[in-house]
Amino acid sequence: MAEQRRGAHGTDGIHGADGGDEGAAGAAVAYGEAADAWEALVATARRTVADGLVVGTSGNVSARVGDLVLVTPSGVPYDRLTAADITGVDLAGRQVVGTLVPTSELPMHLAVYRTTDARAVVHTHAVHATAVSTLVTELPPVHYMAGALGGVVRVAPYATYGTDELAQNMLRALDGRSGCLLRNHGTITYGAGLDQAYDRTAQLEWMCRLWLTASSVPGLTPSLLTEAHMAEAGARLKGYGQRR
Protein backbone atom coordinates (compact mmCIF):
# COMPACT_ATOMS: atom_id res chain seq x y z
CA MET A 1 0.00 0.00 0.00
CA ALA A 2 1.13 3.53 -0.72
CA GLU A 3 2.47 5.79 2.01
CA GLN A 4 1.36 9.43 2.20
CA ARG A 5 3.80 12.23 1.44
CA ARG A 6 5.25 13.96 4.46
CA GLY A 7 7.56 16.82 5.35
CA ALA A 8 7.35 19.71 2.91
CA HIS A 9 3.87 18.70 1.84
CA GLY A 10 2.23 19.31 5.21
CA THR A 11 0.58 16.68 7.40
CA ASP A 12 0.49 13.23 5.80
CA GLY A 13 0.51 14.62 2.30
CA ILE A 14 -1.76 17.65 2.65
CA HIS A 15 -0.01 20.91 1.83
CA GLY A 16 0.05 23.09 4.94
CA ALA A 17 -0.11 26.86 4.92
CA ASP A 18 3.00 28.81 5.95
CA GLY A 19 2.89 29.95 9.52
CA GLY A 20 4.66 27.48 11.80
CA ASP A 21 2.53 25.82 14.44
CA GLU A 22 -0.66 27.47 13.22
CA GLY A 23 -0.12 26.15 9.72
CA ALA A 24 0.66 22.66 11.03
CA ALA A 25 -2.45 22.68 13.19
CA GLY A 26 -4.58 23.73 10.24
CA ALA A 27 -3.10 20.96 8.12
CA ALA A 28 -3.83 18.44 10.88
CA VAL A 29 -7.48 19.49 11.03
CA ALA A 30 -7.74 19.31 7.24
CA TYR A 31 -6.21 15.85 7.24
CA GLY A 32 -8.66 14.66 9.91
CA GLU A 33 -11.63 15.86 7.84
CA ALA A 34 -10.17 14.31 4.71
CA ALA A 35 -9.56 10.98 6.46
CA ASP A 36 -13.19 10.81 7.60
CA ALA A 37 -14.41 11.67 4.11
CA TRP A 38 -12.07 9.07 2.60
CA GLU A 39 -13.58 6.31 4.74
CA ALA A 40 -17.06 7.27 3.50
CA LEU A 41 -15.82 7.48 -0.08
CA VAL A 42 -14.31 4.00 0.01
CA ALA A 43 -17.53 2.61 1.52
CA THR A 44 -19.52 4.18 -1.32
CA ALA A 45 -17.11 2.84 -3.94
CA ARG A 46 -17.46 -0.66 -2.51
CA ARG A 47 -21.22 -0.29 -2.56
CA THR A 48 -21.18 0.35 -6.31
CA VAL A 49 -19.55 -3.06 -6.76
CA ALA A 50 -21.83 -4.84 -4.30
CA ASP A 51 -24.91 -3.43 -6.04
CA GLY A 52 -23.71 -4.42 -9.50
CA LEU A 53 -23.15 -0.88 -10.78
CA VAL A 54 -19.43 -1.43 -11.31
CA VAL A 55 -17.39 -4.42 -12.48
CA GLY A 56 -13.76 -4.59 -11.40
CA THR A 57 -12.26 -1.09 -11.39
CA SER A 58 -14.52 0.39 -14.08
CA GLY A 59 -16.06 3.22 -12.04
CA ASN A 60 -14.85 5.98 -9.75
CA VAL A 61 -16.07 8.07 -6.84
CA SER A 62 -14.99 11.42 -5.43
CA ALA A 63 -15.85 13.77 -2.59
CA ARG A 64 -14.99 17.43 -2.06
CA VAL A 65 -13.67 18.68 1.29
CA GLY A 66 -13.10 22.42 1.03
CA ASP A 67 -10.84 22.87 -1.98
CA LEU A 68 -9.58 19.29 -1.75
CA VAL A 69 -11.05 16.60 -4.00
CA LEU A 70 -10.64 13.05 -2.68
CA VAL A 71 -10.88 10.53 -5.49
CA THR A 72 -10.49 6.80 -5.95
CA PRO A 73 -7.16 5.82 -7.51
CA SER A 74 -6.72 4.37 -10.98
CA GLY A 75 -6.83 0.62 -11.43
CA VAL A 76 -7.08 -0.40 -7.76
CA PRO A 77 -9.92 -2.77 -6.76
CA TYR A 78 -12.08 -1.14 -4.10
CA ASP A 79 -11.82 -4.07 -1.72
CA ARG A 80 -8.08 -3.42 -1.46
CA LEU A 81 -8.34 0.26 -0.55
CA THR A 82 -7.42 1.32 3.00
CA ALA A 83 -7.00 4.59 4.87
CA ALA A 84 -3.33 4.56 3.81
CA ASP A 85 -4.38 4.87 0.16
CA ILE A 86 -6.04 8.28 0.49
CA THR A 87 -5.66 10.15 -2.80
CA GLY A 88 -6.54 13.79 -3.39
CA VAL A 89 -6.06 16.70 -5.75
CA ASP A 90 -6.76 20.40 -5.69
CA LEU A 91 -9.31 21.97 -8.03
CA ALA A 92 -6.58 22.50 -10.62
CA GLY A 93 -5.92 18.77 -10.68
CA ARG A 94 -2.56 18.93 -8.86
CA GLN A 95 -2.10 15.91 -6.58
CA VAL A 96 -1.66 17.09 -2.99
CA VAL A 97 -2.49 13.92 -1.05
CA GLY A 98 -1.10 10.44 -1.47
CA THR A 99 1.09 8.69 -4.01
CA LEU A 100 -1.41 6.51 -5.88
CA VAL A 101 -2.35 7.86 -9.31
CA PRO A 102 -5.88 9.36 -9.29
CA THR A 103 -8.60 7.94 -11.54
CA SER A 104 -8.20 8.52 -15.26
CA GLU A 105 -11.64 10.16 -15.21
CA LEU A 106 -10.37 13.02 -13.04
CA PRO A 107 -11.24 15.65 -15.73
CA MET A 108 -14.95 14.79 -15.42
CA HIS A 109 -14.93 14.97 -11.63
CA LEU A 110 -13.10 18.30 -11.56
CA ALA A 111 -15.38 19.76 -14.25
CA VAL A 112 -18.39 19.00 -12.04
CA TYR A 113 -16.82 20.59 -8.95
CA ARG A 114 -15.71 23.69 -10.83
CA THR A 115 -19.16 24.39 -12.29
CA THR A 116 -21.65 23.19 -9.64
CA ASP A 117 -22.11 23.09 -5.88
CA ALA A 118 -21.48 19.33 -5.84
CA ARG A 119 -19.81 17.73 -2.85
CA ALA A 120 -19.71 14.20 -4.29
CA VAL A 121 -19.58 12.56 -7.72
CA VAL A 122 -20.26 8.94 -8.69
CA HIS A 123 -19.34 7.50 -12.09
CA THR A 124 -20.26 3.94 -13.09
CA HIS A 125 -20.49 1.61 -16.08
CA ALA A 126 -23.88 0.27 -14.96
CA VAL A 127 -25.08 -2.22 -17.57
CA HIS A 128 -28.66 -1.04 -18.22
CA ALA A 129 -27.70 2.63 -18.26
CA THR A 130 -24.80 1.95 -20.60
CA ALA A 131 -27.09 -0.05 -22.88
CA VAL A 132 -29.57 2.84 -23.03
CA SER A 133 -26.72 5.25 -23.82
CA THR A 134 -26.14 3.34 -27.08
CA LEU A 135 -29.78 3.59 -28.19
CA VAL A 136 -31.11 7.11 -27.60
CA THR A 137 -30.03 10.73 -27.17
CA GLU A 138 -32.02 11.03 -23.95
CA LEU A 139 -33.69 8.55 -21.62
CA PRO A 140 -37.43 8.56 -22.43
CA PRO A 141 -39.34 9.88 -19.38
CA VAL A 142 -40.92 6.63 -18.23
CA HIS A 143 -40.85 7.51 -14.53
CA TYR A 144 -41.21 10.64 -12.46
CA MET A 145 -37.96 9.99 -10.56
CA ALA A 146 -36.19 11.63 -13.49
CA GLY A 147 -37.47 14.81 -11.85
CA ALA A 148 -35.02 14.18 -9.02
CA LEU A 149 -32.22 14.64 -11.55
CA GLY A 150 -33.69 17.86 -12.90
CA GLY A 151 -35.71 16.46 -15.79
CA VAL A 152 -35.28 14.21 -18.79
CA VAL A 153 -31.85 12.60 -18.61
CA ARG A 154 -29.61 13.46 -21.56
CA VAL A 155 -26.91 11.36 -23.20
CA ALA A 156 -23.54 13.08 -23.61
CA PRO A 157 -21.92 12.44 -27.03
CA TYR A 158 -19.12 9.90 -27.05
CA ALA A 159 -15.52 10.92 -26.47
CA THR A 160 -12.47 8.96 -25.36
CA TYR A 161 -12.42 8.29 -21.63
CA GLY A 162 -10.30 10.55 -19.46
CA THR A 163 -10.27 13.43 -21.94
CA ASP A 164 -11.25 17.07 -21.61
CA GLU A 165 -13.55 16.53 -24.61
CA LEU A 166 -15.55 13.98 -22.63
CA ALA A 167 -15.70 16.34 -19.65
CA GLN A 168 -17.07 19.13 -21.84
CA ASN A 169 -19.64 16.84 -23.46
CA MET A 170 -20.70 15.76 -19.99
CA LEU A 171 -21.11 19.34 -18.76
CA ARG A 172 -23.45 20.17 -21.63
CA ALA A 173 -25.56 17.10 -20.87
CA LEU A 174 -25.62 18.05 -17.18
CA ASP A 175 -26.89 21.59 -17.80
CA GLY A 176 -29.81 21.92 -15.38
CA ARG A 177 -29.39 18.27 -14.33
CA SER A 178 -27.60 16.37 -11.57
CA GLY A 179 -27.00 13.28 -13.68
CA CYS A 180 -26.56 12.15 -17.26
CA LEU A 181 -25.63 9.18 -19.41
CA LEU A 182 -22.35 8.98 -21.32
CA ARG A 183 -22.71 7.41 -24.76
CA ASN A 184 -21.22 3.91 -24.99
CA HIS A 185 -19.70 4.50 -21.57
CA GLY A 186 -21.91 4.76 -18.48
CA THR A 187 -23.35 7.23 -15.99
CA ILE A 188 -22.31 10.19 -13.88
CA THR A 189 -24.26 11.85 -11.09
CA TYR A 190 -23.47 14.34 -8.36
CA GLY A 191 -25.02 15.49 -5.10
CA ALA A 192 -24.65 17.37 -1.85
CA GLY A 193 -23.00 14.28 -0.37
CA LEU A 194 -21.99 10.74 -1.18
CA ASP A 195 -25.36 9.26 -0.18
CA GLN A 196 -27.27 11.57 -2.52
CA ALA A 197 -24.86 11.12 -5.42
CA TYR A 198 -25.02 7.35 -5.01
CA ASP A 199 -28.82 7.30 -4.75
CA ARG A 200 -29.09 9.29 -7.96
CA THR A 201 -26.84 6.80 -9.73
CA ALA A 202 -28.90 3.86 -8.48
CA GLN A 203 -32.16 5.55 -9.50
CA LEU A 204 -30.78 6.31 -12.96
CA GLU A 205 -29.75 2.70 -13.50
CA TRP A 206 -33.19 1.56 -12.31
CA MET A 207 -34.99 3.92 -14.70
CA CYS A 208 -32.87 2.67 -17.59
CA ARG A 209 -33.70 -0.91 -16.70
CA LEU A 210 -37.38 0.03 -16.47
CA TRP A 211 -37.40 1.59 -19.94
CA LEU A 212 -35.53 -1.31 -21.52
CA THR A 213 -37.95 -3.77 -19.93
CA ALA A 214 -41.10 -1.88 -20.95
CA SER A 215 -39.92 -1.14 -24.48
CA SER A 216 -39.04 -4.79 -25.10
CA VAL A 217 -42.69 -5.96 -24.96
CA PRO A 218 -43.73 -6.81 -28.54
CA GLY A 219 -46.50 -4.69 -30.01
CA LEU A 220 -46.62 -2.22 -27.13
CA THR A 221 -45.01 1.16 -26.55
CA PRO A 222 -44.37 2.58 -23.06
CA SER A 223 -46.40 5.63 -22.09
CA LEU A 224 -44.22 8.65 -21.38
CA LEU A 225 -44.57 11.57 -18.99
CA THR A 226 -44.91 15.13 -20.25
CA GLU A 227 -42.63 18.05 -19.38
CA ALA A 228 -45.36 19.32 -17.06
CA HIS A 229 -45.49 15.97 -15.28
CA MET A 230 -41.72 16.03 -14.85
CA ALA A 231 -41.67 19.60 -13.56
CA GLU A 232 -44.39 18.89 -11.01
CA ALA A 233 -42.65 15.73 -9.81
CA GLY A 234 -39.34 17.54 -9.56
CA ALA A 235 -40.86 20.27 -7.41
CA ARG A 236 -42.46 17.75 -5.07
CA LEU A 237 -39.30 15.67 -4.79
CA LYS A 238 -37.36 18.68 -3.48
CA GLY A 239 -39.36 18.39 -0.26
CA TYR A 240 -39.25 14.59 -0.09
CA GLY A 241 -38.06 12.84 3.06
CA GLN A 242 -37.59 13.92 6.66
CA ARG A 243 -36.76 17.52 7.52
CA ARG A 244 -33.95 17.91 10.02
Side-chain angles (χ1 to χ4, degrees):
M1 297 299 178
E3 294 181 358
Q4 304 308 305
R5 297 172 183 164
R6 296 179 182 274
H9 292 281
T11 301
D12 285 319
I14 295 181
H15 290 263
D18 292 337
D21 293 341
E22 183 177 350
V29 171
Y31 182 75
E33 293 176 353
D36 290 342
W38 176 254
E39 293 292 344
L41 186 151
V42 171
T44 301
R46 289 174 176 164
R47 189 178 175 191
T48 64
V49 177
D51 291 350
L53 301 176
V54 163
V55 175
T57 61
S58 62
N60 29 79
V61 181
S62 68
R64 180 174 177 176
V65 180
D67 289 333
L68 173 68
V69 176
L70 301 174
V71 62
T72 49
S74 177
V76 179
Y78 296 147
D79 61 356
R80 298 181 187 175
L81 291 178
T82 71
D85 298 317
I86 189 168
T87 306
V89 302
D90 61 21
L91 292 174
R94 183 176 64 111
Q95 186 164 0
V96 294
V97 182
T99 57
L100 295 182
V101 176
T103 173
S104 58
E105 296 293 8
L106 187 60
M108 283 204 299
H109 290 259
L110 292 179
V112 172
Y113 291 121
R114 290 170 184 154
T115 57
T116 73
D117 59 357
R119 286 296 177 270
V121 175
V122 175
H123 166 54
T124 78
H125 294 179
V127 63
H128 298 94
T130 304
V132 169
S133 78
T134 71
L135 299 171
V136 295
T137 57
E138 60 181 31
L139 173 63
V142 291
H143 197 276
Y144 65 80
M145 280 305 296
L149 299 179
V152 174
V153 178
R154 306 183 187 105
V155 179
Y158 180 80
T160 304
Y161 79 92
T163 62
D164 289 333
E165 180 184 4
L166 176 59
Q168 291 305 309
N169 290 350
M170 173 208 67
L171 284 181
R172 287 189 286 273
L174 281 178
D175 184 24
R177 306 288 188 267
S178 55
C180 73
L181 300 177
L182 308 169
R183 186 173 300 284
N184 295 89
H185 188 152
T187 70
I188 192 161
T189 61
Y190 69 85
L194 286 163
D195 285 345
Q196 186 178 59
Y198 179 85
D199 182 67
R200 286 172 171 170
T201 294
Q203 292 287 352
L204 179 52
E205 167 67 355
W206 179 82
M207 286 187 289
C208 288
R209 183 178 182 182
L210 173 64
W211 180 71
L212 287 172
T213 301
S215 61
S216 68
V217 178
L220 296 176
T221 301
S223 63
L224 302 178
L225 301 178
T226 65
E227 290 187 10
H229 291 148
M230 299 295 293
E232 181 180 5
R236 290 178 65 85
L237 286 167
K238 289 180 180 179
Y240 178 78
Q242 301 299 314
R243 293 177 173 80
R244 296 181 180 179

